[in-house]
């Protein structure tokens, strides 16, 4: 369920001393933009590995993310419709998402954020979620955290391939195929083709017409070592999807459709000097996202991004390292609501990591961003982690500042089709600024058989951007709300090995939100509970049960959404080495619930699948 589960899994069966060594051996990549032992990371980090993903065999990335503490999703109906994330009460506009280093967020959207509804997991090998403001290392929009996704990499020398198929509820078919090659010097390449086709269900909760979804995604990555200390690399992905939606004013069951096409790529080089003590990385990436709407809200939306980046890491000794870099980015939106607007900015950042005494690791960093529309912004970040020597007790904390510039749609958006939204953009908007901090403790017992964690967090946003209705003009317009919007709460995690082959995990998150006017934020549950059980009752058989409970959520228009509990399960049997047949179910209690007011959700759903390696050399 989180890094806590990863820690307990690595500690099972080891002595207390060995357990500490295992903890120190777990590597976190995104918290400091350089590989760092988990014991030395002061930020709150959640990790999901390829083994974690295989336990549930779900379809979409969001299905796994919402099992993590503090993470919740709301969706406008069936698969493919817009899915909005909330991390510790902050929406997707405050979350930076990177897939193999590529930023896939769409500059032509109402806000610049990533479309989680289109991210499949057939090519994913690892997910890291770093919570709290990461603007110092990742720039604007990384206010609530960073989600770093790595796709599958060929590691075993020679040619390898594998795949899987699944069929189930709502006439849903899913398939994935991955092929890769690795050389003895570490050079490698891998490609994945994956897709899903489903009849779906009605996006309108009161509707009767199915709204289907089709997604075909190709992705690839590779590295080629010129010398043992120099390599070039690439990553790329392309998405072609179409979906049926319900829309209109008033909202109704209609025949609207959307076509989505996305292309993204990143190339670069990494060179090390001084026996690896000075590592340099340069990269260039580009992304183009096209959305075409047909029906009651017809229109086209094209967002583009070009980004160049450099990063250097100097390791002076085992206790002292310095990271620094510069990045430049330009985004463009050309759409029905925003006509050819663009923005660009340059950021300079640096961070020092020091271990003044055994077990205590401190980091401090700063960043200067220069934006074409809003001038200069300064952010900073401090973290601390202390692993008590000879124990499994770690205390940690982080503090950071951040900012979010208005999206191009928030600045210049127009929607002539509906008079009340004809001039909703506001070029006089100011950026939002924020402060975040958290503090927590991770504690192990019984030689690692029990792992507990607790974290308190706060996120304060000043100058919140929102829409306001002007009765005099009869129009909506974006505006800054003076004052501070507050989000705070606690996260509790646990993982227990009852007996070998039986592991139980649980997490609880409480989030309280309040705007400057005293109102609650929409789509933020106050209480989130996730329970998980992994069983290996006999050889070749594995079971997983996951339950998520959500209570006290305020929907749009001040409507209280019903509380709900979603239970999913998977049972698998290993037919041959590496060949697995499985059956899985979702919403096994057949809950009737909504995550957005008026939009439908899936009922009890059952799927069956087969995963296998394919012949290699």
């Amino acid at each position: 369920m989180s890094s806590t589960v990863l820690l307990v899994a690595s500690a099972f069966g080891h002595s207390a001393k060995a357990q500490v060594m295992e903890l120190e051996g777990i590597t976190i990549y995104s918290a400091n933009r350089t590989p760092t032992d988990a014991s030395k990371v002061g930020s709150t980090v959640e990790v999901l590995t390829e083994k974690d993903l295989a336990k549930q065999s779900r379809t979409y990335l969001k299905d796994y993310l919402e099992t993590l503490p503090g993470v919740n999703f709301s969706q406008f109906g069936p698969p493919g419709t817009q899915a909005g994330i909330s991390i510790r009460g902050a929406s997707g506009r405050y979350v930076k998402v990177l897939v193999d280093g590529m930023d896939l967020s769409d500059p032509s959207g109402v806000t610049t954020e990533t479309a989680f509804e289109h991210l499949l997991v057939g090519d994913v090998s690892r997910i890291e979620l770093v919570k709290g403001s990461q603007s110092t290392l990742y720039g604007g929009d990384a206010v609530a955290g960073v989600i770093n996704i790595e796709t599958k990499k060929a590691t075993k020398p020679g040619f390898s391939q594998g795949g899987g198929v699944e069929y189930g509820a709502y006439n849903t078919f899913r398939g994935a195929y991955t092929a890769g090659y690795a050389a003895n010097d570490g050079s490698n390449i891998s490609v994945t083709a994956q897709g899903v086709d489903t009849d779906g269900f009605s996006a309108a909760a009161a509707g009767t017409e199915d709204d289907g979804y089709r997604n075909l995604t190709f992705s690839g990555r590779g590295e080629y070592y010129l010398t043992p200390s120099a390599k070039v690399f690439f990553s790329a992905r392309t998405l072609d999807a179409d979906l049926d939606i319900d829309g209109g004013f008033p909202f109704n069951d209609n025949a609207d459709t959307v076509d989505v096409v996305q292309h993204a790529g990143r190339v670069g080089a990494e060179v090390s000097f001084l026996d690896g003590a000075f590592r340099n990385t340069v990269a260039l990436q580009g992304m183009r996202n096209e959305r075409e709407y047909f029906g009651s809200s017809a229109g086209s939306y094209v967002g583009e991004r070009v980004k160049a980046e450099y990063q250097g890491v100097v390791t002076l000794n085992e206790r002292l390292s310095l990271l620094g870099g510069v990045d430049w980015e330009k985004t463009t939106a050309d759409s029905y609501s925003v006509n050819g607007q663009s923005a660009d900015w340059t950021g300079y950042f640096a961070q020092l990591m020091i271990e003044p005494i055994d077990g205590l690791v401190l980091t401090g960093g700063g960043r200067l961003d220069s934006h074409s529309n809003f001038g200069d912004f300064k952010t900073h970040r401090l973290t601390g982690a202390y692993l008590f020597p000879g124990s499994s007790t770690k205390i940690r904390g982080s503090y950071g500042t951040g900012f979010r510039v208005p999206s191009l749609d928030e600045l210049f958006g127009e929607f002539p089709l509906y008079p009340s939204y004809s001039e909703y953009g506001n070029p006089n908007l100011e950026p939002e600024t924020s402060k975040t901090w958290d503090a927590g403790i991770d504690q192990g017992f019984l030689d690692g058989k029990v792992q507990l964690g607790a974290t308190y967090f706060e996120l304060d946003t000043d100058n919140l951007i929102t829409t306001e209705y002007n009765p005099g003009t009869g129009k909506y317009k974006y505006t800054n709300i003076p004052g501070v919007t507050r989000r705070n709460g606690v996260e509790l995690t646990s993982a227990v090995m009852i007996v070998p082959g039986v592991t139980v995990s649980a997490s609880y998150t409480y989030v309280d939100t309040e705007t400057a006017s005293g109102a609650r934020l929409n789509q933020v549950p106050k209480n989130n509970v996730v329970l998980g059980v992994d069983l290996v009752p006999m050889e070749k058989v594995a079971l997983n049960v996951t339950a998520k409970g959500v209570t006290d959520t305020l929907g749009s228009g001040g409507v209280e959404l019903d509380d709900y509990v979603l239970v999913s399960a998977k049972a698998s049997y290993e037919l041959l080495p590496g060949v697995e047949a499985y059956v899985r179910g979702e919403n096994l209690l057949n809950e009737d619930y909504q995550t957005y007011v008026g939009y439908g959700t899936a009922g009890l759903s059952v799927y069956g699948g087969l995963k296998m390696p394919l012949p290699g050399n």
Side-chain angles (χ1 to χ4, degrees):
M1 294 300 175
S2 66
S3 54
T4 303
V5 178
L6 182 64
L7 300 183
V8 74
S10 67
F12 289 158
H14 294 274
S15 67
K17 182 177 180 180
Q19 174 192 337
V20 175
M21 294 303 293
E22 290 287 343
L23 173 62
E24 294 178 338
I26 297 170
T27 302
I28 304 299
Y29 295 89
S30 50
N32 295 308
R33 287 188 60 154
T34 187
T36 308
D37 283 346
S39 62
K40 299 181 179 182
V41 175
S43 299
T44 305
V45 185
E46 316 289 351
V47 178
L48 289 169
T49 67
E50 193 169 357
K51 290 183 179 179
D52 297 320
L53 303 181
K55 291 177 182 178
Q56 298 185 43
S57 295
R58 306 288 286 272
T59 303
Y60 302 95
L61 179 76
K62 69 179 186 63
D63 297 333
Y64 293 94
L65 289 174
E66 66 180 356
T67 66
L68 300 177
V71 180
N72 197 68
F73 275 90
S74 303
Q75 188 158 5
F76 287 94
T81 58
Q82 183 178 345
I85 191 174
S86 168
I87 298 180
R88 292 178 172 177
S91 65
R93 70 193 69 179
Y94 304 103
V95 181
K96 177 75 74 175
V97 181
L98 301 174
V99 181
D100 290 332
M102 295 178 288
D103 186 343
L104 303 181
S105 60
D106 183 5
S108 71
V110 175
T111 56
T112 303
E113 52 188 283
T114 299
F116 285 97
E117 60 269 19
H118 301 309
L119 291 178
L120 308 179
V121 295
D123 60 345
V124 176
S125 65
R126 181 182 176 92
I127 303 168
E128 288 187 2
L129 166 57
V130 188
K131 300 176 184 177
S133 179
Q134 311 300 319
S135 290
T136 294
L137 295 182
Y138 292 93
D141 302 339
V143 173
V146 170
I147 299 175
N148 189 58
I149 302 159
E150 294 181 18
T151 61
K152 294 177 181 179
K153 173 181 177 181
T155 56
K156 183 179 179 180
F159 176 71
S160 60
Q161 56 180 336
V165 293
E166 180 185 277
Y167 179 79
Y170 303 106
N171 195 27
T172 300
F173 174 81
R174 173 166 64 112
Y177 168 79
T178 299
Y181 178 83
N184 291 325
D185 67 351
S187 299
N188 63 87
I189 186 171
S190 63
V191 294
T192 297
Q194 58 181 321
V196 63
D197 189 315
T198 178
D199 289 347
F201 49 89
S202 176
T208 58
E209 164 239 7
D210 291 340
D211 291 308
Y213 176 57
R214 290 146 296 278
N215 177 327
L216 182 61
T217 298
F218 295 94
S219 60
R221 62 175 293 178
E223 301 171 310
Y224 180 73
Y225 280 85
L226 305 170
T227 71
S229 59
K231 68 178 180 180
V232 293
F233 59 83
F234 84 93
S235 57
R237 65 191 298 113
T238 184
L239 159 75
D240 192 339
D242 59 87
L243 60 143
D244 304 326
I245 62 172
D246 292 331
F249 292 92
F251 177 56
N252 61 81
D253 196 358
N254 62 20
D256 288 6
T257 62
V258 185
D259 290 345
V260 180
V261 176
Q262 184 182 74
H263 305 291
R266 183 173 183 258
V267 295
E270 182 179 302
V271 181
S272 298
F273 302 102
L274 305 175
D275 294 327
F278 183 26
R279 291 184 290 112
N280 300 268
T281 304
V282 293
L284 177 67
Q285 64 175 281
M287 190 278 300
R288 179 181 173 89
N289 195 85
E290 303 173 6
R291 293 176 290 129
E292 186 80 21
Y293 289 76
F294 302 93
S296 62
S297 300
S300 63
Y301 300 80
V302 178
E304 294 182 333
R305 171 180 292 101
V306 177
K307 184 175 182 178
E309 53 193 317
Y310 163 79
Q311 177 178 295
V313 182
V314 179
T315 304
L316 301 175
N317 54 54
E318 293 182 353
R319 294 177 178 266
L320 185 63
S321 65
L322 178 65
L323 175 148
V326 59
D327 50 48
W328 171 86
E329 179 176 342
K330 181 177 181 178
T331 57
T332 303
D334 191 1
S335 67
Y336 179 76
S337 56
V338 178
N339 184 18
Q341 298 290 341
S342 65
D344 64 86
W345 58 93
T346 304
Y348 308 87
F349 60 91
Q351 177 178 276
L352 181 69
M353 178 182 294
I354 185 171
E355 186 174 358
I357 60 174
D358 290 346
L360 176 63
V361 179
L362 306 173
T363 70
R367 181 184 182 96
L368 173 64
D369 280 284
S370 181
H371 195 278
S372 58
N373 294 331
F374 299 102
D376 294 344
F377 289 90
K378 297 178 181 178
T379 54
H380 58 273
R381 174 175 174 262
L382 304 169
T383 73
Y386 183 61
L387 179 66
F388 288 87
S391 77
S392 57
T393 304
K394 173 187 169 183
I395 56 176
R396 49 182 164 75
S398 69
Y399 171 84
T401 61
F403 71 96
R404 186 185 78 86
V405 297
S407 69
L408 295 173
D409 191 80
E410 289 172 322
L411 289 170
F412 308 110
E414 299 178 349
F415 208 38
L417 184 63
Y418 301 103
S420 59
Y421 287 90
S422 60
E423 298 175 354
Y424 63 87
N426 183 358
N428 297 316
L429 287 174
E430 294 293 330
E432 300 176 351
T433 58
S434 66
K435 297 179 181 178
T436 69
W437 71 273
D438 61 27
I441 182 170
D442 300 314
Q443 178 66 61
F445 300 96
L446 302 177
D447 292 338
K449 293 182 176 62
V450 178
Q451 290 282 342
L452 304 177
T455 305
Y456 177 82
F457 60 86
E458 287 190 8
L459 166 57
D460 294 339
T461 303
D462 199 8
N463 255 359
L464 182 74
I465 298 173
T466 188
T467 54
E468 280 193 345
Y469 179 72
N470 187 330
T473 62
K475 295 183 178 181
Y476 289 90
K477 202 172 192 66
Y478 279 107
T479 186
N480 290 105
I481 302 299
V484 177
T485 297
R486 305 186 186 279
R487 307 169 181 88
N488 65 280
V490 295
E491 295 170 349
L492 305 176
T493 61
S494 65
V496 181
M497 185 181 74
I498 308 298
V499 296
V502 180
T503 303
V504 178
S505 58
S507 69
Y508 168 73
T509 305
Y510 171 80
V511 182
D512 187 32
T513 64
E514 185 180 28
T515 66
S517 63
R520 283 178 56 189
L521 292 175
N522 293 342
Q523 309 303 140
V524 180
K526 275 194 173 183
N527 301 284
N528 238 318
V529 178
V530 178
L531 303 175
V533 179
D534 290 310
L535 302 172
V536 184
M538 63 183 72
E539 188 179 2
K540 299 183 179 181
V541 176
L543 304 174
N544 170 272
V545 179
T546 303
K548 181 182 176 72
V550 174
T551 72
D552 201 358
T553 308
L554 191 66
S556 59
V559 176
E560 285 280 354
L561 295 175
D562 290 340
D563 303 338
Y564 60 88
V565 176
L566 299 180
V567 179
S568 62
K570 175 193 170 185
S572 64
Y573 180 77
E574 188 178 39
L575 301 172
L576 296 169
V579 180
E580 175 191 283
Y582 67 87
V583 60
R584 66 181 181 90
E586 298 180 5
N587 192 8
L588 294 179
L589 301 181
N590 200 26
E591 284 268 34
D592 183 9
Y593 70 103
Q594 296 180 9
T595 58
Y596 272 114
V597 176
Y599 289 86
T601 53
L604 190 154
S605 309
V606 179
Y607 305 85
L610 183 69
K611 295 193 297 184
M612 68 187 78
L614 299 175
N617 293 331

